[in-house]
Amino acid sequence: MQLVLDGLPPLKIIPAPRDLMAGVDPSMGNMTIMTSTGETFKVLTAPEADKTEDEIRRLQQKMAHSLRINNPDNYDEKGAVKKGAHVWKRSKAYERLQQELTDLFRRKTATRKCEHGRIHNFLLQIAGTIRIEENNWKAMQKVRYGKSVLNGAPSEFITKFKSKAERAGCEVQMIDPKEFKPSQHSVIGDVYVKHELWERRVPMGGSSDLYMDRDAAAALNIMCADPGAKRYDLELLAGVVQAAKPSWLSCGVVVENPTPQMRASDRELRRFLRKGLVPKSVEECMRNRFLKGDVTTCRDGTSDVCHEERSSLTSETPSVRGGLGPRS
């Protein structure tokens, strides 16, 4: 589900017809896209911008070291800043480092905006009606995901995409997760099952023994959620699942799980056992297909070996691209 943006037309946008739909499950640093033709993509929102983190950290460490040397009276024996107001002496070297850091943040922001624009263009060309899950990014930023939200800027991505889609004649609909619960709704049958956060593959539902990538299932539910009627379009959901299941099986979006295997660290396992939980995961059932970046499905349904660099892939979903054939 890894989307490689190289080769996409950078300027010319040909909006897709309104009857072609797509559901987007956004996250802090990536998003999962599901189209009405069954194609599934996992997109990193700002992969190039994230590469500057090491350089930013290095500059910040140098600046902190410079402050500590020039202001020894402002720190206690343990190296922490003393309470109260202080007068800080900043050397010329510190000011140069601060200018470098400011310029680095500026270039990082410009790179992120460019990468966002390329994904915007891609979305507008694959679907005319795009449904996106509406998350409270400020709440996530305050709790524990501040740095991830800052790096990916999902709120900025969605705001600018809505404006761009309106100018292009496409429709963007926001889906309330509290009302539809896309991560809990089964793609087969109209039932809701709550899953643990560590469960990255969830049962498809019904009598099926298949497991589907959790983000892909959420994106599919988002696409089939009707905000006007405030219910799921079960006919559309069943049609997409029935038509796309062979392609999803061939590329690893959907897998069989005859004997549930556990894929968790020892620390996670101990925490699960203390809570009386039984970890379920299916990656170990198909070692060569999951988290390797070695399987891709072309538009004609054939499978080829993919030699993508592992550094650009996410760690929680397989790097595959499933499709049902050329889009009409």
Side-chain angles (χ1 to χ4, degrees):
M1 286 188 299
Q2 181 69 24
L3 172 63
V4 182
L5 293 177
D6 295 339
L8 292 178
L11 295 176
K12 187 177 180 181
I13 303 175
I14 304 177
R18 284 289 184 92
D19 58 342
L20 290 179
M21 304 174 60
V24 180
D25 179 31
S27 182
M28 278 73 71
N30 60 73
M31 60 184 60
T32 307
I33 305 169
M34 175 72 70
T35 69
S36 54
T37 59
E39 290 180 297
T40 310
F41 307 94
K42 170 75 78 172
V43 184
L44 298 176
T45 52
E48 294 298 326
D50 291 341
K51 294 181 180 180
T52 60
E53 284 300 311
D54 292 339
E55 190 173 356
I56 290 175
R57 189 182 302 109
R58 180 180 60 84
L59 290 176
Q60 290 174 338
Q61 289 175 350
K62 286 186 176 181
M63 293 171 63
H65 182 66
S66 177
L67 282 180
R68 198 176 297 274
I69 291 177
N70 291 284
N71 304 273
D73 297 335
N74 293 347
Y75 297 87
D76 57 17
E77 301 81 13
K78 296 182 179 180
V81 179
K82 295 179 180 179
K83 294 183 179 180
H86 302 288
V87 177
W88 295 92
K89 299 178 183 178
R90 293 176 172 83
S91 63
K92 292 184 178 180
Y94 179 90
E95 293 178 353
R96 287 195 298 268
L97 291 173
Q98 192 171 32
Q99 292 176 357
E100 290 183 26
L101 185 62
T102 301
D103 184 68
L104 190 60
F105 275 118
R106 179 192 61 80
R107 290 189 282 116
K108 179 179 180 179
T109 301
T111 302
R112 184 177 62 235
K113 289 182 179 179
C114 180
E115 292 176 322
H116 283 183
R118 299 176 70 187
I119 302 175
H120 293 166
N121 295 351
F122 174 77
L123 277 172
L124 294 177
Q125 293 177 84
I126 64 172
T129 301
I130 300 100
R131 291 171 177 167
I132 306 175
E133 184 180 20
E134 186 175 12
N135 294 320
N136 190 346
W137 302 111
K138 283 190 177 181
M140 295 184 182
Q141 190 173 5
K142 292 179 181 179
V143 179
R144 54 178 295 186
Y145 301 108
K147 188 174 182 180
S148 299
V149 173
L150 175 64
N151 292 336
S155 180
E156 178 187 21
F157 177 92
I158 295 174
T159 301
K160 292 190 175 182
F161 176 67
K162 291 167 66 176
S163 176
K164 196 170 188 177
E166 183 180 357
R167 296 195 303 269
C170 296
E171 183 181 3
V172 177
Q173 300 174 347
M174 303 305 296
I175 303 300
D176 186 3
K178 294 182 180 179
E179 181 178 359
F180 287 95
K181 298 180 177 61
S183 296
Q184 301 179 21
H185 187 262
S186 299
V187 297
I188 299 179
D190 192 17
V191 296
Y192 294 85
V193 180
K194 190 172 182 179
H195 305 286
E196 294 294 331
L197 185 61
W198 51 266
E199 292 184 86
R200 305 316 305 173
R201 303 294 182 277
V202 296
M204 296 187 68
S207 59
S208 174
D209 59 348
L210 300 178
Y211 278 63
M212 188 173 185
D213 177 79
R214 178 173 182 161
D215 296 331
L220 176 60
N221 285 324
I222 292 169
M223 182 189 67
C224 297
D226 189 347
K230 295 185 179 181
R231 61 179 179 82
Y232 281 103
D233 188 345
L234 299 180
E235 184 178 352
L236 174 62
L237 181 61
V240 175
V241 171
Q242 185 66 26
K245 189 188 297 184
S247 177
W248 290 342
L249 282 168
S250 66
C251 64
V253 176
V254 172
V255 297
E256 297 183 43
N257 187 30
T259 54
Q261 300 292 327
M262 191 253 315
R263 186 180 181 272
S265 65
D266 294 338
R267 181 179 179 182
E268 290 172 333
L269 177 60
R270 289 194 298 269
R271 185 172 75 249
F272 298 152
L273 295 179
R274 284 198 301 269
K275 294 182 179 181
L277 302 176
V278 180
K280 295 180 181 178
S281 181
V282 297
E283 287 92 338
E284 288 295 324
C285 297
M286 307 179 71
R287 289 176 178 268
N288 296 329
R289 188 164 292 183
F290 276 92
L291 307 177
K292 300 293 186 180
D294 59 350
V295 177
T296 181
T297 299
C298 304
R299 293 186 182 276
D300 58 359
T302 60
S303 299
D304 295 319
V305 177
C306 178
H307 300 285
E308 295 177 315
E309 294 185 4
R310 186 65 185 86
S311 60
S312 64
L313 306 181
T314 59
S315 60
E316 54 185 38
T317 54
S319 170
V320 293
R321 174 176 177 174
L324 300 180
R327 290 186 292 270
S328 57

